[in-house]
Amino acid sequence: MSNGTSAQRQWEAFLNPEAVRGTLISAGLFLVAYEVLRSSIIDHPLEFFATTWTAKGPKPSEKYNREVRALDPKGKNDPLRGSLAWLRKEGVLSSDDLNAFEQITNARNNAAHELLSQLTGRKPQDYLSLYPTLVLLIEKVERWWIINVEVPTDPAWATQNINEDDVTPGPVLMMQILADVAAGDSDEAWQWLKAFKAQQGSPS
């Protein structure tokens, strides 16, 4: 294939409204979900071990640094890697989950640094195929915290029999709604707004 043909195909991909919109929507959706997952992984252990809070949030405690950040396999006390190792130690995430997270992180880095190449078709990336796995990881982390931390420490729920399968964490529901609104077909994309307006008594 000649350079001229390659350049022509890149311009055709870059100027194709449907292709560009699809890539931007899927990449944007993926990036939002990744940040939700990253926050779930880091914030819960940080808050759980916190003893001091400031205007900016929980301050890392000595116990948190010792039991979570110190688990960073690279020995750099990185909160993300340390939290992943802690969640693995607690049985929240499996080794397969950690491998999936590494794959997701690589895709996230591509979205952040190689998006222009993807828009021209030079480095295509199928974000939507990874999206269900990303949401599943969010669900595993969030559901574990609800069942094992939030429910036992809440007097209103501590004595209740709760089926894990009936628990839908808020961040998971938010990601499901966002996927419908951003990437669903016409009916799916508008159903949440119509339902919200109906609940508020607003005209459609």
Side-chain angles (χ1 to χ4, degrees):
M1 182 181 294
S2 68
N3 289 336
T5 302
S6 177
Q8 180 180 349
R9 290 196 173 193
Q10 290 174 26
W11 274 108
E12 287 177 354
F14 187 69
L15 297 174
N16 184 319
E18 289 186 2
V20 169
R21 287 170 189 157
T23 298
L24 290 176
I25 289 172
S26 61
L29 185 62
F30 186 84
L31 287 171
V32 170
Y34 177 84
E35 290 305 316
V36 171
L37 175 58
R38 189 176 185 276
S39 293
S40 293
I41 291 169
I42 294 176
D43 292 351
H44 285 309
L46 174 61
E47 294 171 359
F48 180 74
F49 287 105
T51 55
T52 304
W53 295 71
T54 68
K56 294 182 179 180
K59 184 178 179 180
S61 66
E62 290 185 8
K63 189 172 184 180
Y64 167 76
N65 290 332
R66 183 174 65 251
E67 298 198 14
V68 179
R69 293 181 66 172
L71 295 179
D72 174 9
K74 294 187 177 182
K76 296 182 178 180
N77 292 323
D78 178 76
L80 177 59
R81 292 193 297 265
S83 296
L84 284 168
W86 186 83
L87 291 170
R88 176 71 182 95
K89 182 170 71 75
E90 294 295 319
V92 184
L93 298 177
S94 67
S95 57
D96 288 341
D97 291 330
L98 297 187
N99 291 334
F101 182 78
E102 183 176 358
Q103 182 184 10
I104 287 169
T105 300
N106 290 336
R108 178 265 172 198
N109 292 339
N110 286 336
H113 305 296
E114 301 288 348
L115 189 55
L116 183 59
S117 295
Q118 292 158 29
L119 291 173
T120 60
R122 285 188 292 138
K123 294 184 178 180
Q125 173 72 59
D126 185 6
Y127 295 107
L128 291 184
S129 68
L130 290 172
Y131 191 78
T133 301
L134 208 168
V135 174
L136 179 61
L137 292 180
I138 296 173
E139 184 176 30
K140 290 186 75 168
V141 174
E142 290 291 335
R143 181 177 286 172
W144 187 88
W145 278 100
I146 292 172
I147 297 299
N148 293 278
V149 179
E150 294 180 13
V151 168
T153 56
D154 187 336
W157 290 99
T159 59
Q160 301 295 317
N161 242 342
I162 297 177
N163 186 344
E164 285 191 35
D165 294 335
D166 294 334
V167 176
T168 301
V172 173
L173 180 59
M174 182 176 67
M175 289 298 97
Q176 292 171 345
I177 293 174
L178 187 58
D180 286 344
V181 172
D185 62 26
S186 182
D187 290 337
E188 290 176 334
W190 289 99
Q191 65 172 325
W192 296 104
L193 180 59
K194 289 178 180 177
F196 177 77
K197 285 187 173 183
Q199 186 180 36
Q200 302 300 311
S202 303
S204 59

